[in-house]
Amino acid sequence: MTLLVDVFTVLAVAAGIVFFIAGTAGLIRFPDTSSRLHALTKADHLGLGLVVLGLLPRAESLGGVLRLLAIWGLVLVSSAAAGPMLARLARRGARGG
Amino acid sequence: MAAAALVRFGLLLTLWIALAGAGWKGLAPGVAAAALSTWWSLRLLPPAPLRLHPIALAGLVLRFPWQALTAGVQVALLALDPRRQPEPRHVTWAPSLSPGRARDAFLAYASLLPGTLPAGDAPDGSVVIHAIAGAGSAAAGMSEEEARFARAFGLDD
C-alpha cells in the first residue's frame, strides 16, 4: 500500500513538474503578453493541482490536506482575478493607449 | 447584513485555521485577520441575495477539474510541441449577463477555462476574449459556459 502511495505521489508530482516546465516554455515561446498569461495560468494551475494531488496522501492530518487544498484554491482565485485585468492592460498597451 | 458578516467571518477564520493550524497560539491573530477581512469584504462586496441551484452548481464544480486538465494540456502542447503554433486572436463575445458583479465573477471563472482569457470590454458593450487557439469556437464556448454558470447561481430566472 505504501509503495502504491509512493508511486502515485512520484507520478503526480512529476506530471505537475512537466506542466510547470510547459508553462515556462510558453512564457518564452508565445508571441504576445496575453498568450503568455494563458501559459502562466492554465499550465501552471494544472501543474500545481497535480503536485497538490500527489502530496495529499502524504499529509499527516486533515489540517495538512486542507492546507494543500487551500493553497491551490488561493492560487486559482488570485489568478482568476488578476489574469483578465492583466489581459485588459496588455490589450490597451498593444493599442497604444 | 449581520448574517452575511457572520458567514464570511466563519469562512475566513476556517481558511486561517486551515493555513495556520488549529492551535490556540495562532488563533488571536487569526480572529483579528478574519474580522478585518470581513469588514473589508463587506465594504468591497456588499451582501446580495444568491439563489444557488445545488445540482447545477455541483455539475459546475465537478466539471472544473476536467476543464483545468483540458486547458493545461492544450497550453502545454502548444508550448512544448514545435509543430504547433499558437494562433492568438481577440474575438468579441456578447454576454447574456448584465454588467456587474455576476458578469465579473463569470469572466474571472472563464479565465480558468480552456483557450479563453477575457480581456476587457469592447466599445459596443461586448466583451473581448483573447483566444490562444481555435478563435472560431471561442465565443460559442463562452456562451455555453455562461449558461451553465447562470443556471448554477440562479442568474437565468
Side-chain angles (χ1 to χ4, degrees):
Chain A
M1 189 63 186
T2 314
L3 181 68
L4 272 180
V5 171
D6 285 349
V7 169
F8 174 76
T9 296
V10 168
L11 287 178
V13 172
I17 291 170
V18 169
F19 282 100
F20 272 112
I21 291 170
T24 308
L27 182 66
I28 297 165
R29 268 195 75 203
F30 288 171
D32 62 309
T33 305
S34 294
S35 296
R36 293 183 193 118
L37 284 171
H38 283 269
L40 285 182
T41 54
K42 290 159 174 99
D44 285 5
H45 284 163
L46 183 56
L48 181 61
L50 287 167
V51 170
V52 165
L53 190 69
L55 294 179
L56 282 181
R58 312 203 70 84
E60 290 171 358
S61 63
L62 179 65
V65 170
L66 291 176
R67 204 164 302 143
L68 285 166
L69 292 175
I71 289 167
W72 190 43
L74 285 172
V75 170
L76 284 179
V77 169
S78 60
S79 101
M85 280 194 273
L86 290 171
R88 187 172 68 225
L89 288 173
R91 189 169 63 89
R92 274 192 204 156
R95 286 186 313 179
Chain B
M1 182 68 114
L6 211 59
V7 169
R8 290 185 194 193
F9 177 77
L11 289 173
L12 288 164
L13 189 60
T14 306
L15 179 64
W16 176 279
I17 291 169
L19 288 172
W24 287 106
K25 203 177 161 189
L27 201 58
V31 169
L36 192 66
S37 308
T38 303
W39 173 75
W40 197 246
S41 88
L42 289 168
R43 285 196 64 180
L44 291 174
L45 200 67
L50 200 60
R51 287 165 299 170
L52 298 178
H53 291 190
I55 294 174
L57 184 62
L60 199 72
V61 171
L62 291 174
R63 205 166 170 272
F64 182 72
W66 175 250
Q67 297 279 77
L69 183 69
T70 311
V73 168
Q74 182 194 42
V75 169
L77 285 174
L78 283 170
L80 294 177
D81 186 349
R83 291 166 301 177
R84 293 173 193 251
Q85 291 296 327
E87 294 167 7
R89 297 272 187 285
H90 281 114
V91 295
T92 55
W93 166 70
S96 301
L97 294 169
S98 312
R101 67 168 75 170
R103 188 199 279 187
D104 291 343
F106 169 69
L107 292 177
Y109 168 72
S111 73
L112 302 174
L113 300 179
T116 54
L117 182 65
D121 295 330
D124 63 356
S126 58
V127 173
V128 179
I129 304 294
H130 183 274
I132 195 168
S137 59
M142 286 289 289
S143 293
E144 283 174 27
E145 291 299 335
E146 186 191 33
R148 283 194 190 95
F149 187 89
R151 213 172 304 130
F153 290 96
L155 304 166
D156 57 349
D157 296 342

